[in-house]
Amino acid sequence: MIPAHSVALALADTMLAGAAGVAALIGSAARAFEVEHKWVPPLCEAIHVRTGEHFHSFSRMELAAIILDDEHFLGAWENGKAPPQIRRYCISLPVVPEQPAWLVALALPAIPTVGDLARWLTVRPDELGWFADQFRLTHDATSRLQHYHYRWLPKRSGGWRLIEIPKQRLRAMQQKILREILDLVPAHSAAHGFRRGHSCVTHAALHVNQRVVIRMDLKDFFPSIPASRVHAMFVKLGYSQSVAGALARLCVNRTPAGAAAAVDISWAERQALRSPHLPQGSPCSPALANACAFRLDIRLQALAASMGAVYSRYADDLVFSGDAQLARALDRFHVRVAAIALGEGFRVNTRKTRMMGAGVRQQVTGIVVNCRPNIARDEYDALKATLTNCVRHGPASQNRIGHDNFRAYLEGRVAHVHMVNPARAERLRNLCAAIVWP
């Protein structure tokens, strides 16, 4: 006897290879069973009601789950009846649904099969299986068979952040996926991180001169995005299940046990790293994170708009700002944000939540926004003093932390000030130019 779930899967394969109407579904079931069952027509009507015009957008697993959940199908397996048996299995491919207009406009590269994906990436099919971790092999973190280098960095707020850096060949594949697929997919307008023409300054400028600014942080942003979500995103972009699975496995990583245990982190953090996740350090991860957070941005922007507030996101940094209406709702607003984030697969780090009124320094991604985007006074004065001492006593006297390239470090900090406030940066640039470097 064939189990019920196997019958449901075979029935789903047959139905997905045909038309979507009720009559067509009944005909597909008749071909599969080669006999008529009284419960098939009401089952097909129930499937049509639940899937509608999007029938062919469902996967075989999703359609099989609908079939297994239907009372008419389950009734055929009760009361000692002879269970239905599949007599003719379908080997035809599912009907490919017509792409929506927005997806056609993206003009993404056509990659029908995994073999086409290997040719597109200029690798052999067996190499593609290796780089995509098709066989889920686990090696020691120091093994040359690993596709990533691992580096732990301390966070400013405490704890550790793992940087997972892909090796040369995998990185080249990920860069091709980024340039020719992911860069063509638009992010939500509220996302300002990892987008051309956007920066921490454009993110902060939206919240200038507001009565209240709320800053919240998503916990473990990249590791909290699993492979299944990346896979679903590539399917949404029109790729088949097999191609989307290979693309997803090329873009995610499972941290080896040795690397995950190198520092003291919580059990939940270690488990997230040990599961397939977006690696922080991959060129694809920022764009994929923005795409996977699209629904989160939609819901949070709608919540902010309902209170006359402004919302934007820079990577894992969520910022809301508004007037008296938002100020009156502070006690419950952050709870609603946390609930929405949890519903979308993210967690808010409540310890980093900040609610800043107009009477205190309102700071967004390190930029003060009380009146206009500006650098904090103490930060500006400290940098100015460092540059002045470099001019007077030489740069070696100020490189107390031991930067490998202290000149590039200082020039980078001055460039950041210039990006936020060019007028205040002019004096710093003059001091930087006056330093005598050995």
Side-chain angles (χ1 to χ4, degrees):
M1 183 181 69
I2 305 175
H5 71 274
S6 298
V7 173
L9 284 171
L11 190 56
D13 289 335
T14 304
M15 289 179 170
L16 288 172
V22 175
L25 295 178
I26 294 174
S28 297
R31 285 192 299 273
F33 294 128
E34 292 188 343
V35 294
E36 293 185 0
H37 295 287
K38 293 182 178 180
W39 51 266
V40 167
L43 167 65
C44 295
E45 291 176 4
I47 291 174
H48 183 69
V49 169
R50 292 188 63 174
T51 59
E53 60 182 12
H54 302 292
F55 174 77
H56 286 109
S57 297
F58 284 72
S59 68
R60 67 190 297 261
M61 299 298 295
E62 292 170 333
L63 185 56
I66 293 175
I67 294 172
L68 285 169
D69 190 48
D70 184 79
E71 60 180 354
H72 305 98
F73 178 81
L74 294 177
W77 300 82
E78 297 175 351
N79 302 325
K81 299 177 182 177
Q85 299 296 302
I86 298 294
R87 302 297 182 184
R88 183 182 297 174
Y89 287 88
C90 178
I91 60 174
S92 300
L93 294 176
V95 174
V96 179
E98 185 177 351
Q99 291 186 343
W102 66 266
L103 185 55
V104 174
L106 294 182
L108 299 177
I111 309 175
T113 66
V114 176
D116 294 318
L117 176 61
R119 283 189 290 272
W120 185 69
L121 293 171
T122 63
V123 296
R124 299 193 311 271
D126 60 323
E127 289 181 314
L128 178 63
W130 167 251
F131 284 108
D133 195 18
Q134 178 178 353
F135 306 107
R136 302 188 181 278
L137 300 176
T138 301
H139 304 287
D140 184 74
T142 59
S143 171
R144 292 187 178 183
L145 299 178
Q146 280 292 327
H147 299 312
Y148 287 82
H149 298 291
Y150 300 95
R151 181 184 304 165
W152 286 97
L153 299 178
K155 298 180 182 178
R156 289 185 179 181
S157 57
W160 296 88
R161 175 181 290 108
L162 177 61
I163 306 300
E164 301 168 86
I165 308 166
K167 295 182 180 179
Q168 184 177 0
R169 291 194 66 188
L170 179 59
R171 185 177 186 85
M173 297 181 196
Q174 292 175 345
Q175 287 173 334
K176 185 177 179 67
I177 295 171
L178 172 66
R179 289 193 304 268
E180 301 188 26
I181 296 180
L182 299 177
D183 276 350
L184 303 179
V185 180
H188 193 275
S189 59
H192 286 255
F194 321 120
R195 293 179 61 197
R196 290 189 180 93
H198 297 74
S199 65
C200 58
V201 178
T202 63
H203 171 58
L206 294 173
H207 308 283
V208 168
N209 199 22
Q210 296 281 4
R211 178 168 177 176
V212 61
V213 176
I214 303 174
R215 191 176 72 233
M216 306 180 75
D217 183 81
L218 295 177
K219 187 176 180 63
D220 300 326
F221 183 51
F222 287 102
S224 65
I225 300 177
S228 58
R229 197 161 190 173
V230 179
H231 183 179
M233 195 276 299
F234 280 117
V235 171
K236 188 69 174 178
L237 293 180
Y239 294 107
S240 66
Q241 291 286 338
S242 57
V243 173
L247 285 168
R249 290 193 300 272
L250 286 171
C251 297
V252 301
N253 182 43
R254 294 182 306 138
T255 308
V263 298
D264 184 20
I265 57 176
S266 68
W267 180 87
E269 291 174 313
R270 186 172 290 110
Q271 287 301 110
L273 292 174
R274 294 285 291 126
S275 302
H277 63 277
L278 279 186
Q280 186 167 353
S282 164
C284 287
S285 292
L288 285 170
N290 277 341
C292 292
F294 197 92
R295 274 175 48 95
L296 173 70
D297 292 333
I298 290 176
R299 296 182 64 183
L300 291 182
Q301 188 176 61
L303 175 64
S306 69
M307 297 187 179
V310 178
Y311 160 71
S312 66
R313 177 179 60 84
Y314 189 89
D316 59 353
D317 189 52
L318 312 178
V319 180
F320 305 85
S321 62
D323 53 16
Q325 184 179 0
L326 180 62
R328 289 193 297 269
L330 283 181
D331 291 341
R332 61 183 185 276
F333 182 81
H334 68 95
V335 177
R336 296 179 65 181
V337 172
I340 290 174
L342 191 62
E344 294 300 324
F346 299 97
R347 291 179 299 156
V348 170
N349 189 347
T350 54
R351 294 196 308 169
K352 291 187 176 181
T353 299
R354 298 291 181 270
M355 303 180 187
M356 301 165 284
V360 301
R361 178 192 288 177
Q362 296 172 333
Q363 205 161 1
V364 175
T365 55
I367 299 173
V368 179
V369 296
N370 289 73
C371 298
R372 62 182 183 276
N374 211 344
I375 295 295
R377 182 73 189 186
D378 52 353
E379 182 181 342
Y380 176 85
D381 289 344
L383 179 57
K384 179 183 172 184
T386 298
L387 294 173
T388 301
N389 288 333
C390 285
V391 173
R392 293 176 178 174
H393 309 295
S397 65
Q398 302 302 305
N399 189 13
R400 299 183 180 91
I401 301 179
H403 293 282
D404 294 334
N405 192 336
F406 191 50
R407 182 174 186 174
Y409 167 75
L410 291 178
E411 290 176 349
R413 292 193 60 185
V414 172
H416 175 68
V417 176
H418 184 268
M419 181 175 64
V420 178
N421 191 332
R424 296 189 71 187
E426 192 60 33
R427 185 170 183 181
L428 298 181
R429 298 180 76 174
N430 293 333
L431 286 171
C432 197
I435 298 174
V436 178
W437 297 94

